[in-house]
């Protein structure tokens, strides 16, 4: 039979438990176990006045931001609406049923003020990394590094030629931040090359066509991950050029060693990080084994002998050609001693013209020059070590494990919806990248660390 019509009749009293209405398997329950914000108030205390009207609880703002980045809610206006309506979000933010959700403008005010002045989001990220270490998710033996392009909040149709520079009447917070980082190795100082186009809305973003499609303005998010469980141990925002991305890896390795006392034995990365200077820094200054392909442009496609066909003798500091002749750096004594390091960081070894003239292999060695010349980088020793590592089984394993960082970037863009920045300027990029990396580590903790089993009666 048909049931009775339900009439909406307000009751005088309600008994409602917010705790009971949040499912036991909800992801926020697992994440909440690892969110430790006890130090947030102490960290921010110097940036609040001792008098005046009480402010919004900063812990509430941080919890709301964690919810937004864990569930891909990019808009702060929408985040406030979702927290207002969703019971699980209210439970996680400690709002109860009748707690007031702060206005969306509160986030902007605090972000541009005390959050950035205190570097709170970096502090929050490092706190989560420390928790991952205490839970045993960070081995510290092997790291991987890579960068991914994230579109900036800049219209590619509204740009000016890079050679023309910014118009003198242009003024904004993003432009002021750009001018402040012109000498920063991660942004303006990364390369002297003038970009093809500049965005007046976000001049620190870089015009790039690295994706082989239509060019756009972008930043690079750089990850340094531990290979055991793909925990992000450091993150850095840079402009979208290779020099800045390579420099970011150095910054992250040094920072992780200083703040977390982590010194890996090996690091895996792609060919973009295989420059001679980078390999030398890893091998000789950090004592880290580079599981990285070497950038080598010494091969030839005209059928003549390549540099690999010449044998280097480190004791005599000479090369020996396929015909058995010797190539030397200096074939005569100079009155003025030559500097040990050449200006372009490249040594040149030359064969004797008499040896080359009488050689039967000259047509395959130096058909267009009187004598053969071979160049060698001053960092060639580190490059040779990297080449030897590339022949080992451990290198093959590292190349396979390196894909974990690519999976994190895919998760960042597809699940957390961070394929385009919402904030502008270098500081905006740092804020978003720190929050996204924090959310990824929290989700990793929730997935890998099971909840405690309740004790039976």
């Amino acid at each position: 039979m048909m049931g009775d019509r339900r009439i909406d009749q307000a009751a005088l009293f309600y008994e409602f438990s917010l705790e009971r209405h949040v499912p036991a398997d909800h992801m926020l329950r697992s994440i909440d176990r690892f969110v430790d914000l006890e130090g947030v108030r102490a960290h921010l205390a110097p940036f609040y006045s001792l008098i005046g009207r009480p402010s919004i609880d900063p812990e509430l703002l941080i919890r709301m931001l964690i919810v937004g980045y864990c569930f891909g809610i990019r808009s702060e206006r929408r985040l406030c609406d979702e927290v207002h309506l969703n019971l699980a979000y209210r439970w996680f933010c400690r709002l109860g049923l009748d707690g007031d959700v702060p206005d969306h403008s509160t986030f902007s005010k605090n972000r541009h003020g005390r959050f950035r002045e205190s570097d709170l989001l970096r502090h929050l990220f490092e706190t989560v990394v420390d928790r991952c270490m205490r839970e045993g998710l960070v081995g510290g033996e092997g790291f991987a590094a890579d960068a991914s392009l994230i579109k900036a909040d800049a219209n590619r149709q509204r740009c000016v030629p890079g050679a023309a520079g910014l118009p003198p009447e242009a003024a904004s917070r993003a432009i002021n931040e750009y001018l402040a980082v012109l000498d920063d190795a991660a942004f303006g100082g990364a390369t002297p090359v003038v970009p093809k186009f500049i965005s007046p809305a976000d001049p620190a973003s870089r015009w790039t066509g690295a994706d082989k499609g239509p060019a756009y303005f972008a930043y690079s998010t750089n990850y340094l991950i531990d290979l055991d469980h793909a925990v992000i141990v450091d993150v850095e925002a840079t402009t979208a050029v290779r020099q800045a991305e390579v420099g970011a890896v150095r910054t992250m390795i040094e920072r992780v060693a200083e703040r977390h006392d982590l010194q890996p034995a090996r690091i895996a990365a792609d060919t973009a990080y295989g420059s001679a200077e980078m390999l030398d820094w890893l091998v000789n200054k950090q004592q880290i084994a580079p599981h990285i392909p070497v950038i080598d442009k010494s091969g030839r496609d005209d059928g003549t002998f390549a540099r690999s066909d010449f044998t280097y003798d480190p004791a005599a500091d000479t090369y020996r050609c396929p015909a058995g002749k010797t190539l030397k750096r200096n074939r005569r004594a100079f009155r003025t001693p030559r500097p040990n390091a050449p200006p372009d960081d490249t040594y040149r070894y030359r064969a004797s013209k008499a040896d080359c003239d009488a050689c039967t292999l000259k047509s395959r060695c130096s058909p267009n020059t009187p004598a053969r010349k071979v160049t060698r980088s001053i960092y060639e020793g580190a490059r040779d070590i990297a080449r030897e590592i590339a022949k080992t089984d451990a290198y093959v394993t590292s190349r396979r494990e390196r894909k974990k960082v690519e999976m994190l970037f895919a998760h960042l863009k597809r699940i957390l919806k961070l394929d385009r920045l919402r904030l502008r300027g270098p500081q905006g990029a740092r804020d978003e990248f720190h929050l996204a990396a924090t959310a990824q580590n929290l989700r990793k903790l929730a997935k890998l660390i099971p909840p405690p089993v309740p004790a039976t009666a």
Side-chain angles (χ1 to χ4, degrees), residues 97 110 147 171 174 181-182 189 237 251 275 284 289 384 450:
L97 284 176
N110 282 276
V181 298
L182 275 178
T251 301
S275 64
N284 296 320
D384 289 340

Side-chain angles (χ1 to χ4, degrees), residues 375-446:
T375 59
R376 180 180 176 85
S377 170
I378 62 173
Y379 309 116
E380 198 67 29
R383 287 157 58 91
D384 289 340
I385 292 175
R387 292 188 184 100
E388 291 300 318
I389 292 175
K391 301 175 183 178
T392 63
D393 293 338
Y395 177 83
V396 177
T397 302
S398 295
R399 298 300 296 167
R400 183 177 65 253
E401 292 179 335
R402 192 192 67 82
K403 296 178 182 179
K404 293 179 180 180
V405 69
E406 300 287 355
M407 296 170 64
L408 282 172
F409 289 140
H411 180 269
L412 176 72
K413 296 178 180 180
R414 298 187 61 184
I415 306 302
L416 303 189
K417 311 299 184 185
L418 189 58
D419 56 346
R420 182 185 178 94
L421 292 173
R422 190 181 56 82
L423 306 180
R424 290 176 175 173
Q427 291 293 344
R430 288 191 182 106
D431 289 350
E432 294 220 56
F433 294 160
H434 279 132
L435 283 168
T438 300
Q440 287 183 290
N441 281 345
L442 285 172
R443 290 173 65 112
K444 181 80 64 176
L445 281 165

Side-chain angles (χ1 to χ4, degrees), residues 8-245:
D8 184 13
Q9 184 175 5
L12 184 60
F13 298 104
Y14 287 96
E15 182 180 353
F16 186 89
S17 172
L18 187 60
E19 177 76 23
R20 186 165 55 87
H21 280 73
V22 179
D25 58 349
H26 197 284
M27 186 172 65
L28 282 180
R29 280 196 179 275
S30 298
I31 288 177
D32 187 64
R33 296 178 291 137
F34 306 105
V35 177
D36 181 11
L37 301 180
E38 291 294 330
V40 167
R41 300 185 70 86
H43 185 79
L44 286 174
F47 300 90
Y48 280 89
S49 174
L50 298 178
I51 59 175
R53 186 176 60 184
S55 68
I56 302 286
D57 184 5
E59 182 176 339
L60 169 60
L61 299 179
I62 294 300
R63 284 184 174 272
M64 288 181 64
L65 287 172
I66 290 174
V67 168
Y69 278 82
C70 281
F71 291 92
I73 306 173
R74 305 294 314 291
S75 169
E76 287 164 0
R77 289 176 182 266
R78 184 184 162 214
L79 175 62
C80 292
D81 293 339
E82 293 288 340
V83 173
H84 177 73
L85 295 171
N86 192 299
L87 293 180
Y89 296 172
R90 278 185 167 273
W91 173 84
F92 181 79
C93 296
R94 309 294 192 262
L95 282 174
L97 284 176
D98 56 352
D100 293 330
V101 178
D103 188 76
H104 66 88
S105 61
T106 306
F107 291 97
S108 299
K109 185 66 176 178
N110 282 276
R111 185 193 310 113
H112 294 304
R114 53 181 63 93
F115 281 11
R116 289 183 181 174
E117 293 169 2
S118 65
D119 206 10
L120 176 65
L121 300 182
R122 159 60 63 171
H123 172 76
L124 175 66
F125 168 75
E126 292 180 348
T127 300
V128 175
V129 173
D130 287 335
R131 184 59 184 268
C132 292
M133 295 173 63
R134 292 198 301 270
E135 296 292 342
L137 299 186
V138 178
E141 186 274 334
F143 284 177
D146 205 353
S148 183
L149 296 177
I150 306 294
K151 292 181 180 179
D153 185 23
N155 191 337
R156 64 188 302 271
Q157 303 297 335
R158 298 180 180 179
C159 57
V160 296
L166 293 171
E169 67 275 8
S172 68
R173 180 184 288 111
I175 289 178
N176 293 334
E177 290 182 7
Y178 164 68
L179 296 176
V181 298
L182 275 178
D183 297 329
D184 194 334
F187 293 98
T191 173
V193 178
V194 177
K196 187 175 182 180
F197 295 105
I198 296 178
S199 169
D202 191 355
S205 60
R206 192 80 177 187
W207 179 262
T208 177
D211 290 342
K212 308 302 181 183
Y216 55 89
F217 292 103
Y219 286 93
S220 287
T221 177
N222 299 267
Y223 277 5
L224 184 68
I225 72 166
D226 183 82
L227 288 176
D228 278 6
H229 295 92
V231 171
I232 305 168
V233 294
D234 208 346
V235 57
E236 183 77 4
T238 65
T239 190
V241 295
R242 184 173 63 86
Q243 296 92 326
E245 295 168 359

